[in-house]
Structure formats: structure tokens, C-alpha cells
Amino acid sequence: MLHSLAKAAAGLLALVAWAAVGAERLSIEITDQQGRGVADAVVTLMPLDGTRHATATQAPRRVEIRQEGQQFRPRVRVVPVDTWVSFPNRDPIRHHVYSFSSAKPFEIKLFKGDEADPVHFDQPGLVAVGCNIHDWMAGYIYVTEAPYFASTGEQGMATVDGLPAGRYRATVWHPDLNTEPSVTELVVHADDQLATTLDITPNPQTPRAGSLTARFRANVSR
Amino acid sequence: MTLNFRSRVFLALSGLVIAAQVAGTVAVLNTTKRTVVEEATADLQVGSRVFGQLLETRAAQLLDAARVVSADYGFKQGVATGDTETIASVLINHGNRVRADLAMFVNLDGKVVAGSHGRAGDAFPFDTLLTLNRDGQSGLGSLRGSAYQLVVVPVMAPNIIGWACLGFIMDDTFAQRVAGLTSLAVSIAVELADSTQAIVASSLDTSDRRRLGELAMPPESYREPTVIALVNDQFLTLAQPLGQRIEARLQTSMSQALATYDRLRWQLVGVLLLALAVAMAIAHRISKSVTRPLTRLVAGARRIAGGEYHEPLALERQDEFGELATAFNDMQRDIGEREAKILYQSRTDALTDLPNRTVAVESVQNAIDGGNKDKPFAVLLLDLNHFKTVNDSLGYAVGDSVLQHIAQRLSSVPRRGDTVARLDGDEFLIVMQGADVERARSVAKRVIATLEEPIAVNDVQVRVSGTVGIAVWPEHGGTASRLLRRVNIALYDAKRGRQPFRAYHAGEDERQQRRIRIVQDLPDAVRADQLSLVYQPKIELGSRRVVEVEALARWIHPELGFVSPADFVPLAEQSGKVHLLTRWALTAAMNQTRLLRQQGIDITVAVNLSAYDLLDTGLPDWILNSLSERDLPPSCFGVELTESAVMSDPLQAAKVLSRLRDQGLAIAIDDFGTGYSSLAHLQKLPVTELKIDRSFITPLTGKSEAPSIVESIINLGHVMNLRVTAEGIEDEDTWWLLDGLGCDKAQGYFMSKPLAGHELVDWLSVLPVLDGVDRKGRAAHRVFELPNNEQEIA
């Protein structure tokens, strides 16, 4: 990417992994450079040893990213290919959801309470979703082909269960990454832990602060 | 070259004003120029800050515009398609909305996807502006020889999908607008690919702009305003880099800045020249006004130096020059007065206020110069008689007072045009115009008469008398000196003759000159053997024996010829030189005596002495010593003195003559009967002989009473036991007469004239001898032979 200067890189990737044969559990802990847990980090595990695994997911799933509080919630969804994602508008205001991603460009105008037809994501890739009316709103749909994946919660933790032991390529991605997604190889033997430190610059979905916003807010609360 | 004072004053004053004015003007102009330049510099600096501010403001505005553009959904949608043509159209569309001159969309790889400049796929030329900051970034850059203000904003959809770049050209219009706002000349210079520079935007005119493009900015122009000369003007220039290879050059026109200065300069120069002209005119006037009085004073001083004291300097001024002129005039007047006083004093006798000797001589000279031979004038010289006794007896104060009185009396004598002057001491001179001798004589009489009246001084009656000498021009002398000399001679003669007045007689001057000559030449004559002695025999009347000779001096003056002893002896006596004469005569006579004695002639030689010789107390001893030196017995020598000489101081005479007589010299009284002799004194004198003056002898054969007188004298002499000699026998009858009267000796031309030494010897040798040898063995006396020799020798 640009700035492909060697930004201070990241982390150490602690490798551990050995997974027991069978269904192992991989505990994932993602922290930022300040040691805080990073939410909404996506970890995908692509087996490397050629074993065709059935995708952890069976039927195309349905997930939703709602517009709520003028934010996309959740911010990040990791879904397998062929997932249907709906975008219900839970806000009392209109949103104009769009994506220009190459994986799935779409746009939906949603009045409050509206719920349009879900969008079928049939291509792997990162789909960034924005709202035309509200520049700060950004959501991400990580469409992955990897059979195993997870996204971290508030604390920066996630688990992947039923993971057969073996070699995997682990990819860690976060919307606020300053660097390329980290890709590592790991061998899972037993219950393992994947801990990664990411170089991220938090970019929460908040509108620009300013007197204009404050005035509106004040008006609204009256 | 030395300048005169006036020029110096003029130059000093005008020089001063010039210097002051020039200094002031130059100072003002310099300060003004500096101030103007400083203001222009400050303006430029302010202008450059304004320019910077303008650019920033514009950048902010453009950035806002770009942000809006890039946030536009349609724009986002367009560029998200990835389709070059769509993106280009979107760029055009949205770019036009904000009147951009350049629009590009740059992908995340830093390549231009579509743009107004460059081909798709080119690297974005302004990659330094690419930022993740949603606010975007502005900057300045050049592309293809144009300069742009660029804004680059990320296109967020919702994440960054690329950058939109908008560029706004900075061209002449931009430059002119900025120039208008800042009042500066603005130019944007761009470094081209070939490292040359181009002025891409400028508010300058063509030729200046071209020139600016040719110049390399000097390093100092990046720090502070620097003067750079272009074609039409000089510009204070500040160079400001705006970005890579692009810089702004802000300039302010010097000529504009200096416009007011120039105006001021011309005004000041004008004032300077005017002030100069005025100052020089004033300086000229002042210097003139200073030097004019000085010049006049100088002229005045020169006049005084030339002797003119009368014309005062007219200078009507109240200031220092006026004072100087007044002082000058005072000085001139004082000098004139002093000169008059000195002149007066030099020409006036202080005591009597009469004209002095100088004026007297002048008057005579003037009278001569102004006269003609038909109009004689007379000079009278008045001398007061015995005035010294007045001073001696009554004192000089009285004497002076007397003189003053006399002066007053004399002043009344002459008529107008005549001069009365006081010469010295007690002499006064009167110059009378138009007077002949007779007139002068009558005036002299009047003068004498005025003196007869006694003069009253301090209760004392002083009697004075005077003598007047008269000389008349041109009769008595043609020149002033001759005239004055002759009036002096006339006076002297008058005094000598005891006359109250006497006119000059012709010849007296010559006689006087002769007398003076004689006196002067006498000492030399004594030394130079011009004098000689002659001897006149004295013969005993009875025996006719030549017993004695009287020595007489003779002087043959080389020029005057024969000078009679009757002339030079009295003169010698009067001039105090008779001693010389006497000593010489005595010596010569003694020598002759010795000669005679050597030849067997035994006669007495007698020498004449004067009264003054009697005062010589050493004379008797000298005579005796001289005689003994020559082995001469004193009895063969004798001296003769006149009666009056002896009687002038009989006591002294007695002393001297006694000394001689004691030694046996013969002493005779000469010219007896003519002096004032006292018989009492005569008795006491050690005299051996009386010689009767010739004035008694000569008329013997004539007058009847003469023989009786002579007889009386002879008897008197005999009574006093003296021998008597008769002088001046000129004929035989007188001889016999005297013989009959009992006179002892005779001397005169009848027997012999005075003879020189050798003549005497000759004369004696032809005389018969009385006795061959006398009883004492002495040589016999020669005897005078009477012509007829009839009488027997008694």
C-alpha cells in the first residue's frame, strides 16, 4: 500500500500453535501497541496442508449490520462467502448505505426502520460499507474463503473451536491497521493461543466535533 | 595666491552657508531616501506576509472546496468505478464546479488514474501532498511550466480509496490580483526540467518580466529586501520559496517609492540654490560693507602717512566701524596737533617764543630766494653785552626773564614781514625786508635805544646794553651763510671797537679769514720753519757801539706770503698760542747768540715776550736752562716786554722778571709811553731798560713838544737808573737830536733794518771796530758809521 515504508512493525507474532488432532481450540488475543485489547480484529485461518475442511459454516448464513446510533453495528463482520447481509436501519433518520468495493458494490437507501433486502456476498474480499449521508459511518464485511475465522470482541479476545490440528495460515486484519494485514503461518497442535499486537490508529465512527454539531445537539435535546 | 580680506569674508560667509545648506540638504535627502527605502522594505515585508496569508487563505478555501468535491457521492461513485473515462468525466464535472485548473485522481499506489495533466498510470507528481489525514493537504507545485496551488484530499468511501487532487493555476491574473491586494509586483518563478527558470506568472510588464526571468536571485534576497535592477525600474525584491522548484518574487518599485523622494529632492535642491544665491548676495554685501569702511580707513591712514592731517574721515555708521572711524579721526587730529606742536617747537625758541635759529636762517634764505638785486634786505645781529654777569650775579631765572623782556621789546621794532629771532644765549637776529645800510643803521639805533630802558624783574632793575652788527644783502654777501658770517664779523668788530653798532666793511671778512688762517697755521709754521728771526741792532748813541740786537719774528706764509708780526703776534696772544711762538723765538735767538759768540761777536740778543708769557711760571727756569745748555751767560741775553703787558699783572711780572734779572738777563720795557703804567709798580720791577715807543720818536724832527716829552722820559728812566732806548729812528737828524737829549741807545731803519742772522754777521763785519781788544780781552765792539762820519768818536 502506500506509505509502504516499513512502518514500525508489528508484532511479534507469538507463535505457538500446536493443536491437538481433533477439534482444538485456538484462543486469540489481539492487542494494540499500548497493550489494550483490540476489538473488531478479524482472524482468518486457512489450512495449509490441503485438507479440505468443511467450512465451519454450512448454509449461507444471514447476518446483519444495523445502522444504529448513526454507526454501523457491529463495525466488522467476518463472513464466509455466500453470506447474506442485511442492513436494517434502526435509527430514526435516513441512511444511504453503499459500498464501492470490488467484492460487492451496492447501495441502499433506507428510511428509518426500513429494512431492505439483504445483500448477497458471493465473493471473497473486504467490503467497506459507508453511508453517503453520514461520512463517519464505516462498516466492514470481511468475506473470507477461510473455513475458520473469528473477530475479536471488546476485550480483543476471540476463540476458534473445532479446529483440527495442522498447519494454518493466520491472517489478522483490522480496519484501523496502519500496516498490511499480518499473515503468519502457524501449526495448531492443541489448545493454542494466538496473540498478536497490531499497530493500529483507532478511528471510531464519530462525527466531526465542532460547534455546529454541538449546536444541533443542543437544539435536539431541547 | 593671497586673497584680500573682502574676498575672504565673502568666501567664508558664502562657503559657510553653502556648506551648511549642502550638509543639511544632503542629510535630509539621505534620511528621506533611507526612510523611503526603509518604508518600502517594510512594505515589502508586510506585503510578503500578506502574500503568504493570501496563499494560505486561498489554500484553505481550495481545500474546503476540494473536500466537498471529494465527499460528493457522485464523485465518489464515479472514481470508485475504476473506469478511467468515468473518472475523468467526474473530475471534469466536479472540478469545474470549483473552477479548478487541474484535477487528478490518484490511486492508493500513488499513480494517476485520470487527470487533466499527465497520462493514466503516471506517478503522481506531487506525492508529498498525499496524506491519510481526512483534511487533506495543500501545497504549491509546478507542472508543465505552470504553477498551481494544489489541494489533495483523500477520497473516503468510507475508507480511503484514493486521492483527489485539484490545482488552481497561479497565472498573470492571479499575480495581478495579488499585486492589487498587496500593492507589490508579484511574480512566480518556476524551475523547469532543464534547470532553467521561467516566470510563469507576473504582474510586471513584459520587458521587466523577461529580465526578471533572466536574473538569478542573489542569496540575500531570500533573507531581506534587496535592490534588483530590471529594465524600467529598480525593484526592492524579496524571494520566497513556495515549494519545490517554485518561488514567489515580491517586488516594490523603487521609482514609485522614491517618487516622493525625488520630488522632495528637486524641491530641496531648488531651495538650496535659492538659499545659495541669497547667501552669496548677502555675503557679498556684508563683505563689502565690512571692507568698504576699512578701505576708506586705509586710504585715510595713507593720507596721514603722506602728511595730510586735515581731512577727517566721513563714515556715518553707528557700529564698530563708526567707532573706528571716530577714533581714527581723533588720532588724525591728534597727530596733526602734535605735528604742529613739534613743528612749532622746532622752530620756536622756548623761552621767548621768538622764531629760533633754524627759522632765522630760513628767513634769510627765503629773503634771498625771493629777492632781487634792487630790493636789498638787511640782517641785524644783536648781542647783549656782558650778559654772563647778569646770569652770574642775579641768577639764571632773572636772566631768562630779562631775555623774555628783551624779546618782547624787540618784537615791536620790525615792521610786518620782518623777522625777529633768537639765536642762542644772548644773540638776536632781525631780518629786515627792503632795507639798505642806512635804514639798517637807524633800526640798529632804535634797537639800542630800546635796551637802554632798564628791565624790571622781581623788583630788580636790570640794565643791559647791546651791540648790533649789520650786514646787507646783496652788498655784503650773496649767500645766506656768507651774509650771516659777515654780520657776525660786523658785530665782532663793533664789540672790539666798542661801538653800539657797526655795518660790515668789505674786506673784513677776508681779513677775518686771514686772521683765522694765521691763527690756524701758526703752530705748523713754528714746526715747519716758516718762521725766522731777524735782528735789529741797538746802537749806543755815544760810542756808536753795536751793543745789542732785538730779535723780531718773521713769517713767510706759503700762501699768504709775508705775515707781519703786528698781525700774527697779537693773534697768537689772543688765541693762546703765543707760548709756541715765544719758545721758538727764544730757542732760535739763543742759537743765534751762540753762533755770534763763536764768531767772536759779543752782543746781547733780546727777545720779545708777551703778557701771556708772564703767566708761564716755568718760563724763567726754561730760559735759564736753555742758556746754560748752550753755554751762554745769562748776561748776553735779554727779554723785552711792552708796557701794557707788564702792567696787566705787575705782581706776576715782578716775580717772573726778578727771577730772570737775578741771573743777569737784560729786561727792557718796550713801547714805553703807550700803556697804562703805574710808576709805583715800575719802580719795583727789575727792569734794566726803557724803550721809548716810536710814536714819540718819529715826530721828533717835526712837532715842537715832542723832544720835551722824550727828554722827560729819558730823564725818568735815568732817574730810575734805567737805560733808555729810542725806537724808530729814521734819519740822521733824529739821531743827533736823541744824542743831544741824552738817550742811551737807538734802534731804527736809519741804522739798520732788521737783518737775518747771516746778514747781521755780514753787516757787523763791515763795520769798523772800535778797539781791537779791550782790556778784558774781549773782542771789540763794532761801531756804526755815520754817513758823513764827521763827528769824532767820543
Side-chain angles (χ1 to χ4, degrees):
Chain A
M1 254 180 123
L2 27 78
H3 298 305
S4 35
L5 325 167
K7 278 227 167 159
L12 274 284
L13 192 54
L15 340 179
V16 175
W18 28 321
V21 174
E24 308 297 341
R25 163 177 280 200
L26 187 66
S27 301
I28 300 166
E29 187 182 2
I30 309 295
T31 53
D32 65 12
Q33 289 184 311
Q34 277 76 44
R36 297 189 289 255
V38 177
D40 296 324
V42 170
V43 180
T44 61
L45 295 160
M46 180 68 84
L48 290 177
D49 48 12
T51 323
R52 277 231 22 115
H53 300 259
T55 317
T57 56
Q58 288 79 35
R61 289 196 287 174
R62 282 182 180 259
V63 295
E64 68 172 28
I65 297 179
R66 51 186 189 281
Q67 302 110 65
E68 191 174 33
Q70 295 181 40
Q71 290 183 332
F72 287 116
R73 297 194 181 145
R75 189 178 175 214
V76 170
R77 278 256 184 238
V78 55
V79 297
V81 175
D82 273 337
T83 302
W84 295 86
V85 183
S86 62
F87 301 90
N89 183 355
R90 300 280 186 247
D91 275 335
I93 57 174
R94 179 176 172 147
H95 288 290
H96 179 182
V97 178
Y98 71 93
S99 177
F100 296 134
S101 65
S102 52
K104 188 68 188 183
F106 68 94
E107 69 176 297
I108 311 164
K109 296 182 189 143
L110 299 161
F111 287 99
K112 75 173 177 183
D114 271 1
E115 181 171 340
D117 291 338
V119 178
H120 184 217
F121 290 85
D122 53 357
Q123 300 242 12
L126 175 68
V127 178
V129 179
C131 172
N132 187 32
I133 300 171
H134 309 98
D135 292 339
W136 64 85
M137 290 172 65
Y140 298 89
I141 304 165
Y142 197 102
V143 185
T144 181
E145 285 179 318
Y148 305 98
F149 48 81
S151 64
T152 58
E154 289 293 322
Q155 310 304 320
M157 313 278 270
T159 52
V160 176
D161 289 316
L163 194 65
R167 268 192 5 213
Y168 292 88
R169 185 169 55 239
T171 308
V172 181
W173 175 91
H174 188 274
D176 299 332
L177 250 190
N178 289 331
T179 62
E180 295 282 342
S182 78
V183 176
T184 353
E185 276 192 23
L186 60 88
V187 177
V188 174
H189 293 298
D191 287 351
D192 268 327
Q193 196 176 21
L194 176 62
T196 308
T197 305
L198 297 180
D199 177 14
I200 58 170
T201 305
N203 188 13
Q205 299 180 73
T206 47
R208 184 190 299 272
S211 60
L212 194 63
T213 313
R215 275 182 202 277
F216 272 108
R217 291 249 160 87
N219 267 348
V220 165
S221 66
R222 224 178 272 134
Chain B
M1 174 191 74
T2 47
L3 294 171
N4 61 12
F5 180 68
R6 176 164 149 182
S7 308
R8 282 217 302 272
V9 168
F10 175 73
L11 284 177
L13 282 176
S14 26
L16 189 65
V17 171
I18 289 173
Q21 276 290 94
V22 166
T25 304
V26 165
V28 166
L29 286 179
N30 273 351
T31 306
T32 307
K33 184 167 184 177
R34 204 177 44 244
T35 307
V36 162
V37 169
E38 277 171 6
E39 279 181 10
T41 304
D43 283 349
L44 185 55
Q45 281 166 335
V46 165
S48 93
R49 284 199 287 278
V50 170
F51 176 72
Q53 199 61 43
L54 269 174
L55 285 182
E56 271 179 38
T57 308
R58 190 158 176 260
Q61 288 169 345
L62 297 175
L63 209 48
D64 287 341
R67 267 191 239 115
V68 169
V69 162
S70 66
D72 181 84
Y73 187 73
F75 181 78
K76 285 197 265 199
Q77 200 172 28
V79 300
T81 59
D83 176 48
T84 316
E85 288 184 25
T86 305
I87 292 171
S89 69
V90 167
L91 285 172
I92 291 167
N93 185 56
H94 283 70
N96 278 335
R97 284 187 187 170
V98 293
R99 286 191 283 274
D101 301 301
L102 176 152
M104 291 183 195
F105 182 71
V106 182
N107 66 18
L108 294 174
D109 294 326
K111 302 269 192 287
V112 175
V113 174
S116 56
H117 293 69
R119 284 192 307 265
D122 288 344
F124 181 56
F126 310 115
D127 54 344
T128 52
L129 296 176
L130 299 175
T131 175
L132 290 177
N133 188 336
R134 280 195 185 199
D135 290 330
Q137 193 145 325
S138 66
L140 295 145
S142 69
L143 201 57
R144 296 213 195 123
S146 290
Y148 297 92
Q149 197 156 16
L150 302 161
V151 288
V152 176
V153 292
V155 181
M156 309 298 289
N159 59 338
I160 185 168
I161 58 170
W163 288 270
C165 172
L166 296 176
F168 300 85
I169 196 166
M170 296 194 291
D171 59 357
D172 288 352
T173 316
F174 168 73
Q176 274 153 12
R177 204 152 25 107
V178 174
L181 283 172
T182 57
S183 299
L184 299 176
V186 177
S187 307
I188 309 289
V190 155
E191 188 185 324
L192 301 173
D194 57 359
S195 302
T196 60
Q197 66 173 0
I199 303 294
V200 296
S202 181
S203 60
L204 295 171
D205 72 6
T206 321
S207 51
D208 282 332
R209 172 199 185 127
R210 186 169 42 242
R211 184 91 190 97
L212 186 61
E214 291 162 6
L215 291 173
M217 289 287 109
E220 57 268 20
S221 64
Y222 290 89
R223 285 194 301 275
E224 60 199 5
T226 310
V227 175
I228 288 173
L230 297 179
V231 172
N232 296 321
D233 199 349
Q234 286 191 327
F235 290 92
L236 210 54
T237 309
L238 200 56
Q240 215 171 339
L242 299 175
Q244 267 195 335
R245 297 192 297 274
I246 179 172
E247 69 181 24
R249 294 178 185 171
L250 303 168
Q251 293 175 307
T252 178
S253 157
M254 291 296 281
S255 64
Q256 261 177 24
L258 293 173
T260 37
Y261 163 78
D262 279 342
R263 263 201 312 283
L264 181 66
R265 181 170 62 185
W266 286 119
Q267 282 173 358
L268 281 180
V269 166
V271 168
L272 171 73
L273 290 175
L274 185 65
L276 240 48
V278 169
M280 286 174 82
I282 291 178
H284 182 72
R285 266 204 81 199
I286 289 179
S287 69
K288 244 178 103 176
S289 89
V290 161
T291 56
R292 198 182 321 117
L294 283 179
T295 314
R296 292 182 65 187
L297 285 168
V298 165
R302 291 222 174 96
R303 273 209 310 278
I304 291 187
E308 292 176 34
Y309 308 130
H310 310 297
E311 204 184 305
L313 200 67
L315 205 72
E316 289 95 25
R317 281 170 72 134
Q318 302 302 319
D319 61 0
E320 289 86 339
F321 283 110
E323 284 177 29
L324 183 60
T326 307
F328 192 82
N329 285 335
D330 289 346
M331 178 187 79
Q332 181 179 264
R333 198 187 54 237
D334 288 348
I335 288 178
E337 282 174 6
R338 268 205 292 281
E339 196 192 71
K341 192 165 160 196
I342 289 171
L343 198 65
Y344 177 77
Q345 281 175 350
S346 73
R347 295 168 67 80
T348 308
D349 173 59
L351 180 64
T352 58
D353 279 343
L354 292 177
N356 62 6
R357 171 179 283 278
T358 316
V359 178
V361 173
E362 243 177 53
S363 318
V364 172
Q365 187 60 52
N366 290 342
I368 291 173
D369 294 339
N372 56 53
K373 299 236 186 276
D374 297 329
K375 281 195 65 184
F377 68 88
V379 173
L380 281 74
L381 185 60
L382 166 67
D383 182 283
L384 300 176
N385 300 332
H386 311 297
F387 192 69
K388 192 170 176 309
T389 54
V390 173
N391 277 331
D392 291 345
S393 58
L394 297 173
Y396 279 93
V398 172
D400 287 351
S401 190
V402 165
L403 288 170
Q404 283 168 339
H405 277 91
I406 290 172
Q408 265 178 334
R409 289 189 192 178
L410 286 178
S411 302
S412 62
V413 164
R415 299 159 302 174
R416 294 191 64 178
D418 296 342
T419 311
V420 177
R422 179 180 171 210
L423 300 185
D424 327 298
D426 58 350
E427 283 191 345
F428 294 83
L429 190 77
I430 302 173
V431 180
M432 288 180 56
Q433 295 287 350
D436 60 1
V437 177
E438 285 312 311
R439 175 117 183 77
R441 283 211 180 94
S442 68
V443 170
K445 239 186 253 173
R446 276 238 311 283
V447 166
I448 302 293
T450 61
L451 294 177
E452 279 169 8
E453 191 71 30
I455 297 164
V457 176
N458 298 346
D459 304 329
V460 176
Q461 298 283 343
V462 182
R463 280 198 168 329
V464 292
S465 62
T467 310
V468 179
I470 299 167
V472 170
W473 180 89
E475 190 184 327
H476 293 146
T479 66
S481 61
R482 195 173 290 179
L483 200 61
L484 288 169
R485 192 173 65 232
R486 286 172 181 185
V487 77
N488 253 302
I489 292 169
L491 172 69
Y492 173 73
D493 284 344
K495 279 210 184 235
R496 219 167 42 145
R498 297 185 207 276
Q499 295 162 301
F501 60 86
R502 184 185 163 91
Y504 174 77
H505 291 167
E508 281 172 2
D509 188 17
E510 288 77 3
R511 281 196 284 278
Q512 180 78 337
Q513 301 285 359
R514 186 165 183 274
R515 282 198 283 271
I516 291 167
R517 189 76 191 276
I518 287 168
V519 168
Q520 278 175 347
D521 292 350
L522 186 59
D524 291 330
V526 168
R527 283 189 281 270
D529 289 331
Q530 291 170 11
L531 297 169
S532 61
L533 283 179
V534 292
Y535 304 90
Q536 193 172 41
K538 287 157 84 167
I539 301 170
E540 273 184 346
L541 279 163
S543 62
R544 290 182 285 132
R545 285 191 306 181
V546 180
V547 293
E548 201 175 320
V549 289
E550 182 187 352
L552 302 162
R554 285 287 177 271
W555 183 7
I556 311 294
H557 190 280
E559 281 152 32
L560 298 174
F562 174 76
V563 184
S564 157
D567 289 340
F568 70 79
V569 170
L571 286 173
E573 288 176 343
Q574 285 164 19
S575 64
K577 293 176 179 171
V578 76
H579 301 284
L580 286 167
L581 194 57
T582 308
R583 295 284 169 110
W584 168 81
L586 285 166
T587 308
M590 286 181 201
N591 291 339
Q592 185 64 47
T593 310
R594 196 164 67 160
L595 270 174
L596 287 173
R597 287 176 73 79
Q598 280 168 358
Q599 294 179 29
I601 298 169
D602 179 13
I603 53 175
T604 308
V605 175
V607 174
N608 283 289
L609 295 181
S610 81
Y612 296 93
D613 292 321
L614 290 176
L615 301 172
D616 183 3
T617 50
L619 186 62
D621 289 325
W622 184 86
I623 293 173
L624 295 168
N625 287 335
S626 304
L627 285 170
S628 73
E629 277 172 19
R630 289 167 179 78
D631 294 324
L632 294 170
S635 57
C636 75
F637 208 77
V639 293
E640 294 188 9
L641 291 103
T642 61
E643 187 181 7
S644 46
V646 166
M647 288 305 157
S648 65
D649 192 349
L651 293 172
Q652 178 68 11
K655 250 200 262 182
V656 170
L657 294 174
S658 300
R659 183 90 184 83
L660 292 171
R661 183 78 194 101
D662 289 344
Q663 296 300 320
L665 271 87
I667 300 180
I669 302 292
D670 202 354
D671 297 344
F672 187 75
T674 61
Y676 303 101
S677 54
S678 151
L679 287 175
H681 282 125
L682 198 57
Q683 263 191 316
K684 294 197 184 111
L685 285 173
V687 174
T688 56
E689 181 179 320
L690 288 179
K691 293 178 78 175
I692 304 173
D693 187 69
R694 64 184 67 242
S695 57
F696 295 106
I697 305 301
T698 316
L700 265 182
T701 49
K703 292 203 179 135
S704 54
E705 61 273 4
S708 337
I709 297 169
V710 170
E711 192 182 358
S712 310
I713 296 169
I714 295 169
N715 289 335
L716 178 65
H718 288 157
V719 160
M720 290 196 290
N721 213 16
L722 304 170
R723 301 270 290 241
V724 180
T725 307
E727 290 181 289
I729 296 170
E730 287 168 5
D731 53 39
E732 188 177 342
D733 292 338
T734 312
W735 170 277
W736 290 116
L737 234 157
L738 283 165
D739 188 29
L741 291 174
C743 189
D744 299 298
K745 289 190 266 189
Q747 180 179 347
Y749 268 75
F750 172 64
M751 286 79 79
S752 172
K753 65 173 182 167
L755 301 165
H758 61 276
E759 285 175 343
L760 178 65
V761 171
D762 289 341
W763 184 76
L764 284 170
S765 65
V766 302
L767 287 181
V769 176
L770 182 60
D771 291 324
V773 179
D774 67 8
R775 285 186 290 277
K776 286 186 185 166
R778 288 185 310 180
H781 288 261
R782 303 297 170 144
V783 173
F784 172 65
E785 281 275 325
L786 286 165
N788 53 9
N789 204 20
E790 284 173 5
Q791 298 280 341
E792 286 188 7
I793 300 168

